[in-house]
Amino acid sequence: SGTWAQRFTFRARRLAELSAEDLMSIDSRTPSLLLRSFKDDLTPLRPAFELGRQYVRKALEVVPEQLTLEETVCDVLGDSGPVIAIGRPGEALPPVGAARQYVSNENWRETVSSQIMRVRWIAVILGTTEGLVSECAAIRELGRTRDTLAVLPPLAARDLLARWAAFSRGALGTTPVNGVEQVLVATFADVSRIVFIPCRERDEDSYELAIRRALVLLLTTQSPAGTGGAE
């Protein structure tokens, strides 16, 4: 069936994912870092032109592939170099997207801090877990706020506000602002000057365009690659 074929294809793509170490051994460009809560690894995005895809699905009797938010982020950042992330402990297969590096619970904070200092860009899929909040605080403490893009998942307004509040507490050290319900991505000239990229739609294409626009903004404020990015 179409569902079986889709699952087979998705599993094959996961099996083909390289580790962070292997990917960086064959790609010498400065990597980017993805930070997120493990529970958001497979956050799906609504396909663009959904009605058209439903028509194709009916005609071909297949299930259209649904990209995750992580895949969309990594597809854009991957144009500039490898995208790496800390892997969920004990997972059998990594999700499709960022190349995983697996570390012990005792070493993850030190590893993330080291990554934050050497990557080109940092993408944060907003969440409320304390581990992610502490990683966001490290971004601020290490002076990498200007090199960060905050990605707001496709959630209800109440959940978005909670995630933005957690991010503000960690990465910005400030109280959150309201009005982020239609924001897809945010960038930061500094902690007091936030640039929001809004869109009424929250589908694959909208996120891709918003992330690309965010990267253009980052390029106007980012420190030269390879210098550690300290402000």
Side-chain angles (χ1 to χ4, degrees), residues 76-135:
V76 177
L77 292 181
D79 290 342
S80 303
V83 184
I84 61 176
I86 296 294
R88 180 199 293 266
E91 66 183 357
L93 289 175
V96 177
R100 265 39 177 189
Q101 178 180 359
Y102 295 93
V103 298
S104 66
N105 289 333
E106 294 77 18
N107 295 331
W108 73 268
R109 292 179 188 273
E110 179 181 350
T111 300
V112 169
S113 294
S114 175
Q115 291 174 336
I116 287 171
M117 287 303 297
R118 68 189 182 94
V119 296
R120 183 176 187 185
W121 288 314
I122 303 162
V124 182
I125 297 177
L126 303 197
T128 57
T129 58
E130 286 306 311
L132 182 60
V133 172
S134 70
E135 291 173 344

Side-chain angles (χ1 to χ4, degrees), residues 33 41 43 88 111 141 157 160 185 189 210 215:
L33 174 65
D41 277 352
T43 300
R88 180 199 293 266
T111 300
E141 293 163 1
L160 286 177
V185 184
L215 288 184

Side-chain angles (χ1 to χ4, degrees), residues 142-226:
L142 296 172
R144 298 304 306 272
T145 303
R146 289 185 179 181
D147 305 315
T148 298
L149 57 95
V151 182
L152 286 79
L155 299 171
R158 183 174 181 178
D159 292 327
L160 286 177
L161 289 172
R163 293 189 181 217
W164 180 254
F167 176 81
S168 298
R169 185 172 80 250
L172 306 179
T174 61
T175 55
V177 298
N178 293 322
V180 298
E181 293 85 353
Q182 291 189 350
V183 174
L184 301 189
V185 184
T187 63
F188 313 92
D190 56 50
V191 296
S192 63
R193 290 187 293 159
I194 306 170
V195 179
F196 292 122
I197 302 175
C199 183
R200 286 181 293 180
E201 300 295 330
R202 307 187 82 84
D203 58 27
E204 297 166 4
D205 286 356
S206 299
Y207 272 100
E208 179 182 348
L209 291 172
I211 295 165
R212 291 193 184 280
R213 183 180 175 190
L215 288 184
V216 172
L217 295 173
L218 289 178
L219 283 168
T220 66
T221 60
Q222 189 194 43
S223 303

